[in-house]
Amino acid sequence: MAHNAALYLGLISGTSADGIDVALASFDPVPRLHAALTHPYPEDLRRRILDLAQGDARIALDELGALDVEIARSFADAANALLRREGIDAKKITALGSHGQTVRHRPQQTPPYTMQLGDPSVIAEIAGIATVADFRRRDLAAGGQGAPLAPAFHAAMLPRDGVARVVLNLGGIANITILDGKPLRGFDTGPASCLLDAWMQEQLGEPFDRDGAFAARGTTDETLLVRLLGDPYFAAAPPKSTGREVFHLGWLHTHLQDMRTTPADVQATLVALTARSIADAVRAHAPSAREVLACGGGVHNPVLLRALSSALAPAALASTATRGIDPDYVEAMAFAWLARERLSRRAIDDICTVTGARGPRVLGGIYFGG
């Protein structure tokens, strides 16, 4: 481990709610991932999170309050699990950055809002570490989308070597960061794994499509693909961000009405939707990009990666692992880095060109450990 380097923890659970990613990182002189793990939610808690995140689901206020605390306890347990495994005392950690669990993201609503659960006071109390959280709402208050925030870290972690590139995060929702020498840009392109996972759960009772095997059994239904790509979100100009509020099973079923498409063909078409929407976004907004560096859980789906590689050509698709950055923990590292920036009272200078905020803002609130 780097000598005297300040250590930070970053924690995030994305739109798939498939577990809490924890990264132990330092950033001086360069970003470095020292250890990481993915800590599963208790199954009942994961189911309740997914039920709440689907479309216009309703919830009792008492249940919302309970979820806030239960998610926080799981986040703290995840942090403690990594520290125990690595034999590191919590006192050695400068701060913990918690993204929390997004259950609603409505930047276009009047008034706009975003909601991440996981009470940071509970995390700070259980983990005994200064906790930085609630990163998104200050950006939203300043007129921004509040998302995506990782592009600022992507810009910091990659060398400025004159090569135009895109960083592609394949989480539940896909987002891109454009690094081409111009002001930093980035946005959510649409669904990545969220619809693929939801369709698998509904059709086969499986949480995800292991190795893309179910999609590989089907073929793309071009009529359905055109219907799906007709959603106004894809044509909307950035800044923009989205989530399960838009892209959920109800949305998919609406487009499947009067169609006789087999379940495997639907899965194959959802793969094509992810690949096409990402490639269209890259061509429209990063036409000079020579390479696309992918991270996030979607990098483990070879069928999706083949579709992406074909759709993105001639730009080359590679994993962030080729740059020495574990693709599974880039986003968790980003929130460790954001915690560091908050403790230093640094505004995230270039994120406003991503989110559309009125200017740079210091993001996150600090909750000191016990």
Side-chain angles (χ1 to χ4, degrees), residues 312-349:
L312 288 165
L317 177 67
S319 165
T320 56
T322 62
R323 299 294 184 276
I325 304 161
D326 189 324
D328 287 320
Y329 297 103
V330 173
E331 300 295 286
M333 282 185 73
F335 284 90
W337 179 81
L338 284 166
R340 170 181 177 258
E341 299 304 285
R342 176 62 185 90
L343 286 188
S344 300
R345 299 182 180 179
R346 281 193 286 268
I348 310 301
D349 287 337

Side-chain angles (χ1 to χ4, degrees), residues 174 189-192 195-196 220-221 224-231 234 247 251-252 255 266-280 304 307-308:
T189 61
L195 291 175
L196 293 167
T220 300
D221 184 316
L224 176 58
L225 180 59
V226 169
R227 283 190 184 185
L228 299 177
L229 285 169
D231 187 282
F234 297 114
F247 297 108
W251 177 86
L252 176 59
H255 291 289
V266 172
Q267 189 78 347
T269 306
L270 291 175
V271 167
L273 172 67
T274 295
R276 180 82 66 84
S277 57
I278 290 168
D280 287 349
L304 175 58
L308 273 168

Side-chain angles (χ1 to χ4, degrees), residues 130-309:
T131 297
V132 185
D134 194 16
F135 291 98
R136 298 193 182 279
R137 291 197 295 179
R138 182 61 194 277
D139 184 87
L140 209 71
Q145 292 276 312
L149 297 181
F153 174 64
H154 297 160
M157 76 177 183
L158 289 170
R160 305 292 178 94
D161 56 6
V163 174
R165 58 174 59 92
V166 166
V167 180
L168 167 63
N169 177 49
L170 293 168
I173 297 294
N175 57 65
I176 60 172
T177 299
I178 301 167
L179 304 171
D180 59 0
K182 300 176 184 177
L184 183 66
R185 283 113 59 225
F187 55 92
D188 291 345
T189 61
S193 299
C194 64
L195 291 175
L196 293 167
D197 294 349
W199 186 248
M200 283 294 295
Q201 185 67 52
E202 181 182 82
Q203 297 298 312
L204 299 181
E206 297 290 341
F208 64 95
D209 189 3
R210 188 176 299 277
D211 297 326
F214 190 46
R217 285 165 44 187
T219 57
T220 300
D221 184 316
E222 292 294 338
T223 301
L224 176 58
L225 180 59
V226 169
R227 283 190 184 185
L228 299 177
L229 285 169
D231 187 282
Y233 182 82
F234 297 114
K240 61 179 181 176
S241 55
T242 190
R244 285 182 180 270
E245 302 80 13
V246 175
F247 297 108
H248 54 83
L249 273 177
W251 177 86
L252 176 59
H253 280 296
T254 297
H255 291 289
L256 283 171
Q257 287 178 3
D258 73 37
M259 296 201 68
R260 296 184 177 182
T261 307
T262 70
D265 286 352
V266 172
Q267 189 78 347
T269 306
L270 291 175
V271 167
L273 172 67
T274 295
R276 180 82 66 84
S277 57
I278 290 168
D280 287 349
V282 170
R283 272 192 288 273
H285 299 281
S288 64
R290 290 170 49 189
E291 69 175 12
V292 176
L293 297 175
C295 59
V299 299
H300 301 294
N301 184 329
V303 173
L304 175 58
L305 290 187
R306 284 196 295 271
L308 273 168
S309 184

